[in-house]
Amino acid sequence: MNFESLTQLKKEKDFVILAHYYVDGEIQEMADYVGDSFSLAKKATELKEENIIMAGVYFMGESVKILNPEKHVYVGDMDADCPMAHMVTVEKIKETREAYDDLAVVCYVNSTAEIKAHSDYCCTSSNATKVVQAIPEKNIFFIPDQNLGKNIAPNFPKKNFIFNDGYCPVHHVITVEQVEKLKSAYPKAKVLAHPECRPEVLELVDYKGSTSGILDAVETLGGEEFIILTENGIEWELRERFPNKTFIFNEMICEDMKKVKKEELIRIMEEGGEEVEISEEIREKAYIPLKRMLEICKK
Ligand code: 13P
Ligand code: SF4
């Protein structure tokens, strides 16, 4: 389907497409907005269309639905699910709340709606520090990602962080040895990494930040060669923005993000499809930490 027919189809059926930087390039190309988790959540509150496709993993669709209960929300593939989103339980949250007074549960958006419903604040990789800065409680239970939690904790020497043992299977497996090898193979290259990588890996890099942060850092850091330590779908936007720079990747593929297919998105727009649904009880509770994040990040 060419660009004109696609635009026509979206208009006729009142669809808008949001896409994460990790989905296939051809989906990023057909999307109306492409971004990191935070910018997509924010954008989702500003849309006029009745039907929203969130091309990404399931929790991203859930966030859109939590923020827009009256809209029809689709993800493209109902099995595209971030494994880390399931690496913490409601029981663990309850136990931690019982064990600590003066506790805030800070939930990375890569989590299920049910987990959000039991949390106090949401954050993303681009705003975790800003969100924790706004929290009065001394004890911070950071879920589900241990690495993002450990990577921001040194910014808060007066707080007591309790970490969970979740991790991203794509970022957590990157080792110090791999990064050192890449650095010696490309000694002039700057290294840019996502904060879902282990803290010891991030000690070796020139920049750590969200997918949008990495894209912006290519501009601000300057230079010609960049080792990119995040999911390889970001290559599409990197090449769009910086066609003359060299990017080196380390085979980091999120199988779930790659489940989303262009043909299926077209089919959903033409014929309809399975929608993201959340019980109103969970949705109302999950809305609170997400809304708090959006409020804190407005300032
Ligand atoms: P960003 O918030 O940086 O887009 O990251 C989302 C994600 O799933 C990283 O693995
Ligand atoms: Fe989840 Fe990791 Fe995939 Fe991001 S890259 S969606 S954290 S599995």
Side-chain angles (χ1 to χ4, degrees):
M1 184 175 280
N2 65 25
F3 186 75
E4 283 72 33
S5 318
L6 199 57
T7 310
Q8 181 62 21
L9 176 63
K10 285 185 205 165
K11 206 170 152 208
E12 231 169 67
K13 304 278 181 142
D14 201 21
F15 265 89
V16 59
I17 303 179
L18 307 177
H20 189 267
Y21 291 122
Y22 294 166
V23 295
D24 288 339
E26 61 176 7
I27 296 175
Q28 296 185 47
E29 201 171 18
M30 76 191 276
D32 301 284
Y33 306 96
V34 186
D36 69 358
S37 302
F38 177 63
S39 68
L40 292 172
K42 198 158 143 267
K43 183 50 76 184
T45 62
E46 300 162 0
L47 301 169
K48 59 176 188 347
E49 290 82 357
E50 266 306 295
N51 305 295
I52 305 172
I53 292 180
M54 177 56 249
V57 283
Y58 193 75
F59 79 79
M60 295 181 166
E62 278 189 331
S63 296
V64 174
K65 185 71 182 177
I66 292 165
L67 295 166
N68 298 279
E70 72 295 349
K71 302 220 171 173
H72 302 284
V73 180
Y74 307 84
V75 283
D77 187 316
M78 298 299 262
D79 292 329
D81 198 6
C82 169
M84 181 165 66
H86 303 275
M87 291 187 189
V88 66
T89 60
V90 171
E91 286 63 43
K92 184 129 185 231
I93 298 175
K94 287 184 179 162
E95 274 166 28
T96 313
R97 284 198 193 276
E98 269 172 31
Y100 292 86
D101 287 332
D102 199 21
L103 179 89
V105 178
V106 180
C107 177
Y108 187 27
V109 280
N110 294 42
S111 50
T112 64
E114 193 192 14
I115 290 298
K116 288 183 179 76
H118 286 83
S119 301
D120 301 309
Y121 297 86
C122 276
C123 72
T124 72
S125 57
S126 71
N127 62 27
T129 296
K130 193 165 186 179
V131 169
V132 175
Q133 249 158 13
I135 297 177
E137 284 84 357
K138 178 176 168 55
N139 298 306
I140 305 290
F141 182 33
F142 197 97
I143 56 171
D145 187 20
Q146 57 180 287
N147 291 325
L148 181 59
K150 287 176 185 169
N151 286 324
I152 63 151
N155 299 333
F156 302 98
K158 292 196 178 133
K159 293 213 186 274
N160 175 43
F161 273 74
I162 303 119
F163 301 112
N164 176 60
D165 53 12
Y167 58 88
C168 162
V170 179
H171 292 84
H172 189 66
V173 293
I174 300 302
T175 62
V176 163
E177 292 70 37
Q178 278 172 312
V179 180
E180 278 168 349
K181 218 169 144 190
L182 280 165
K183 283 175 74 139
S184 43
Y186 302 93
K188 289 202 191 119
K190 305 243 164 75
V191 186
L192 290 73
H194 197 278
E196 287 174 8
C197 294
R198 295 166 190 260
E200 59 271 29
V201 162
L202 294 192
E203 272 173 31
L204 304 174
V205 309
D206 298 290
Y207 175 83
K208 54 183 173 196
S210 75
T211 48
S212 295
I214 289 173
L215 284 153
D216 294 343
V218 170
E219 184 93 62
T220 48
L221 285 178
E224 294 310 315
E225 277 188 352
F226 301 86
I227 297 168
I228 305 292
L229 299 176
T230 194
E231 212 278 342
N232 294 179
I234 199 171
E235 181 175 4
W236 193 84
E237 181 71 16
L238 283 167
R239 299 222 185 275
E240 278 284 296
R241 286 202 210 172
F242 312 103
N244 300 321
K245 297 199 189 277
T246 304
F247 299 104
I248 299 119
F249 294 91
N250 191 42
E251 273 299 294
M252 294 168 72
I253 311 285
C254 175
E255 301 293 345
D256 283 279
M257 286 283 188
K258 302 305 187 231
K259 287 179 182 166
V260 183
K261 293 290 167 217
K262 180 175 180 177
E263 299 68 36
E264 182 57 15
L265 301 192
I266 292 172
R267 203 195 58 75
I268 288 171
M269 288 191 281
E270 284 173 339
E271 301 165 25
E274 199 179 341
E275 293 180 36
V276 174
E277 300 286 2
I278 307 168
S279 79
E280 191 51 19
E281 194 195 342
I282 299 262
R283 194 204 64 81
E284 275 179 11
K285 290 186 188 151
Y287 179 75
I288 298 166
L290 264 180
K291 183 76 184 149
R292 281 184 182 149
M293 172 185 80
L294 292 170
E295 288 295 325
I296 291 167
C297 295
K298 241 191 221 167
K299 295 166 211 156

